[in-house]
């Protein structure tokens, strides 16, 4: 097993062969991937060394100290946090070697084509259809449907896609999982302007999009099971982010409190203390969750982290606006724009307040997450589902 000392040596060798000050960032990132220092817990040849996940921090610290470029993880978070672990677990060797390197270096941005306007929070009710055509090496699928709330679709080269391949079986059983080429002429990406004024999200129309069978992940009809890997990783990526003590939103709020003594009241002080405590509990819980990841895939516990993150983000941003009084109503820029990432810390209080409203919807609504926690963590009886054994085509929609 690779040790921390060995990783320090390997990192030094990478820096000696590719001086960050004299190497193009993309060239450096490719070299880092090929050296197995991209995500050290991945297998050799796929950007890793099969080392413990916890040792990634050793590499990151050495490279940061040397001024090496990173892959801008906030810009490619869907690829890193959702597509990559799914491809690693269910992809063929050819798929892993084709997709993982440019995904990690940021050369190819990924998005997620899961949510649909007719399915609401019930993802398994999705209606986008994939119909098989051809045989042998030319076999493929023709996809028609509509997706919604798709972050980064306007930037993406690839998408992970759920589509219904068998409408004659119950809804959870007739779904397959694909990799969709976002440059296909049948893909139409349209902006969705949000409460914040910008269009971070998109709706995506798929019309006769042809996907080679070689771009199917897992077996036909296994899409729902595979999607659980993606969703569990997504919830950990959202709710289990690594932050320092008093970092993130609570750090911004505490700083606002310190800079504005004239705005303080006893009631706001009590709420600030409660928020600080809740943020610290969430931070420590996230640390424990990441330690569990070191020995396996995330489970339904990630739903609790994401649920708590969404609730706390809305409470803290609301408290910040209250604390600032009329200043909190100011909004920097309503101009329609197409951001490449979500930046909570670099914007004003009004933006944070409005954007946080989406936290309880994205990555699984809070209502769905409560069901997951109740059934899979607490072991409570499942919610009655009248359509559980009904063929999808006969279910009410």
């Amino acid at each position: 097993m690779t040790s921390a000392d060995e990783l320090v040596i390997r990192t030094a060798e990478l820096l000696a062969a590719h001086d960050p000050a004299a190497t193009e960032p993309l060239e450096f990132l490719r070299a880092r991937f090929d050296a197995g220092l991209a995500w050290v817990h991945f297998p050799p040849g796929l950007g890793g060394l099969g080392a413990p996940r916890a040792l990634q921090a050793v590499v990151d610290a050495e490279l940061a100290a040397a001024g090496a470029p990173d892959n801008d993880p906030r810009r490619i978070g869907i690829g890193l946090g959702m597509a990559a672990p799914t491809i690693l677990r269910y992809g063929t060797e050819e798929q892993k070697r084709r997709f993982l390197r440019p995904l990690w270096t940021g050369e190819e941005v990924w998005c997620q084509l899961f949510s649909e306007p007719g399915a609401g929070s019930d993802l398994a009710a999705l209606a986008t259809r994939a119909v098989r055509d051809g045989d042998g090496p030319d076999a493929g699928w023709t996809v028609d449907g509509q997706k919604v709330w798709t972050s980064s679709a306007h930037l993406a080269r690839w998408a992970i896609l759920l589509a219904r391949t068998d409408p004659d079986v119950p809804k959870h059983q007739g779904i397959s999982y694909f990799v969709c080429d976002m440059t296909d002429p049948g893909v139409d990406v349209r902006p969705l302007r949000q409460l914040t004024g910008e269009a971070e999200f998109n709706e995506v129309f798929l019309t006769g999009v042809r996907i080679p069978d070689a771009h199917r992940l897992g077996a036909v009809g296994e899409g729902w099971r595979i999607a659980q890997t993606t969703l569990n990783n997504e919830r950990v990526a959202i709710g289990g982010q690594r932050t320092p003590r008093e970092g993130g939103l609570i750090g911004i709020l505490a700083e606002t409190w310190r800079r504005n003594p004239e705005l303080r009241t006893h009631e706001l002080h009590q709420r600030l203390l409660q928020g600080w405590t809740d943020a610290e509990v969430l931070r420590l819980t996230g640390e424990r969750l990441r330690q569990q990841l070191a020995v396996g895939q995330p489970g339904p516990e990630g739903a609790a982290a994401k649920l708590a993150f969404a609730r706390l983000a809305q409470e803290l941003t609301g408290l910040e606006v209250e604390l600032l009084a009329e200043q909190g109503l100011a909004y920097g820029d309503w101009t329609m724009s197409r951001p490449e990432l979500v930046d909570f810390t670099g914007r004003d209080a009004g933006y944070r307040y409005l954007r946080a409203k989406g936290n309880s919807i994205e990555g699984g609504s809070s209502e769905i997450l409560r069901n997951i926690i109740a059934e899979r963590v607490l072991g409570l009886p499942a919610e009655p589902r009248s359509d559980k054994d009904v063929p999808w085509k006969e279910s009410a929609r």
Side-chain angles (χ1 to χ4, degrees):
M1 181 178 291
T2 306
S3 67
D5 289 342
E6 289 176 76
L7 288 176
V8 170
I9 293 172
R10 284 176 178 268
T11 306
E13 292 173 347
L14 171 68
L15 292 168
H18 304 275
D19 179 1
T23 306
E24 289 294 323
L26 179 57
E27 181 183 345
F28 183 89
L29 292 172
R30 287 172 173 169
R32 178 178 169 180
F33 186 95
D34 295 340
L37 300 173
W39 30 35
V40 298
H41 59 290
F42 271 46
L46 298 174
L49 296 166
R53 183 193 292 255
L55 292 182
Q56 185 65 53
V58 174
V59 176
D60 293 346
E62 293 291 316
L63 292 175
D70 67 19
N71 57 357
D72 197 356
R74 293 191 303 168
R75 178 174 177 269
I76 57 174
I78 294 174
L80 294 174
M82 302 165 210
T86 309
I87 293 170
L88 180 66
R89 184 165 184 180
Y90 293 101
T92 64
E93 287 305 312
E94 182 179 358
Q95 289 169 339
K96 294 173 189 176
R97 296 193 180 281
R98 164 61 186 87
F99 293 125
L100 290 178
R101 188 175 188 251
L103 180 158
W104 187 86
T105 61
E107 293 171 76
E108 295 180 341
V109 176
W110 286 66
C111 67
Q112 180 192 53
L113 296 177
F114 281 17
S115 298
E116 296 190 3
S121 296
D122 185 7
L123 177 60
L126 62 88
T128 292
R129 289 280 282 120
V131 178
R132 188 176 180 114
D133 60 66
D135 293 306
D138 296 328
W141 300 81
T142 301
V143 179
D144 292 278
Q146 180 187 353
K147 299 290 181 176
V148 74
W149 306 123
T150 310
S151 302
S152 303
H154 54 297
L155 307 169
R157 171 68 174 82
W158 299 101
I160 44 178
L161 165 72
L162 289 181
R164 188 163 301 283
T165 48
D166 187 351
D168 296 323
V169 297
K171 60 183 181 182
H172 292 90
Q173 301 174 22
I175 297 171
S176 297
Y177 200 119
F178 300 93
V179 173
C180 176
D181 184 347
M182 293 295 287
T183 66
D184 187 284
V187 177
D188 181 13
V189 178
R190 304 177 188 176
L192 276 177
R193 196 172 189 190
Q194 305 153 220
L195 188 65
T196 58
E198 54 193 24
E200 168 198 332
F201 297 114
N202 304 273
E203 54 184 349
V204 179
F205 295 84
L206 306 166
T207 306
V209 176
R210 187 142 194 303
I211 298 179
D213 193 51
H215 285 184
R216 171 170 47 81
L217 283 182
V220 175
E222 277 197 325
W224 183 254
R225 185 171 68 89
I226 298 170
Q228 301 315 302
T229 295
T230 306
L231 295 172
N232 285 334
N233 278 283
E234 178 181 21
R235 289 160 191 158
V236 172
I238 295 174
Q241 300 174 33
R242 187 187 301 276
T243 56
R245 174 177 286 189
E246 202 176 289
L249 291 175
I250 189 60
I252 295 171
L253 180 58
E255 180 60 24
T256 301
W257 176 268
R258 294 179 181 117
R259 283 190 290 103
N260 298 278
E262 74 282 4
L263 300 175
R264 300 173 185 174
T265 67
H266 175 72
E267 189 266 342
L268 290 174
H269 191 207
Q270 295 303 306
R271 290 169 60 190
L272 172 65
L273 292 175
Q274 184 62 58
W276 198 98
T277 304
D278 290 348
E280 185 63 6
V281 170
L282 180 61
R283 186 184 72 83
L284 294 174
T285 303
E287 185 63 35
R288 187 169 64 177
L289 187 62
R290 286 190 294 277
Q291 290 174 1
Q292 290 176 334
L293 288 182
V295 293
Q297 289 287 326
E301 297 84 356
K306 195 270 176 181
L307 177 66
F309 164 80
R311 179 188 60 78
L312 186 61
Q314 292 175 358
E315 289 179 359
L316 295 180
T317 55
L319 180 57
E320 183 185 16
V321 169
E322 280 191 61
L323 176 62
L324 290 171
E326 64 271 19
Q327 298 176 46
L329 300 178
Y331 200 88
D333 187 4
W334 284 100
T335 305
M336 165 74 169
S337 63
R338 304 279 274 153
E340 295 191 2
L341 50 84
V342 178
D343 182 11
F344 270 96
T345 57
R347 303 288 294 275
D348 55 39
Y351 171 84
R352 283 190 283 276
Y353 176 76
L354 295 178
R355 179 59 185 81
K357 300 303 180 189
N359 290 151
S360 51
I361 301 174
E362 58 195 348
S365 70
S366 292
E367 290 76 14
I368 292 294
L369 297 183
R370 288 189 178 94
N371 275 353
I372 292 173
I373 294 167
E375 297 175 17
R376 303 183 199 170
V377 179
L378 301 178
L380 297 177
E383 185 179 24
R385 298 185 176 96
S386 60
D387 60 351
K388 183 177 179 182
D389 299 317
V390 177
W392 175 82
K393 67 180 183 182
E394 298 176 10
S395 61
R397 292 190 297 280

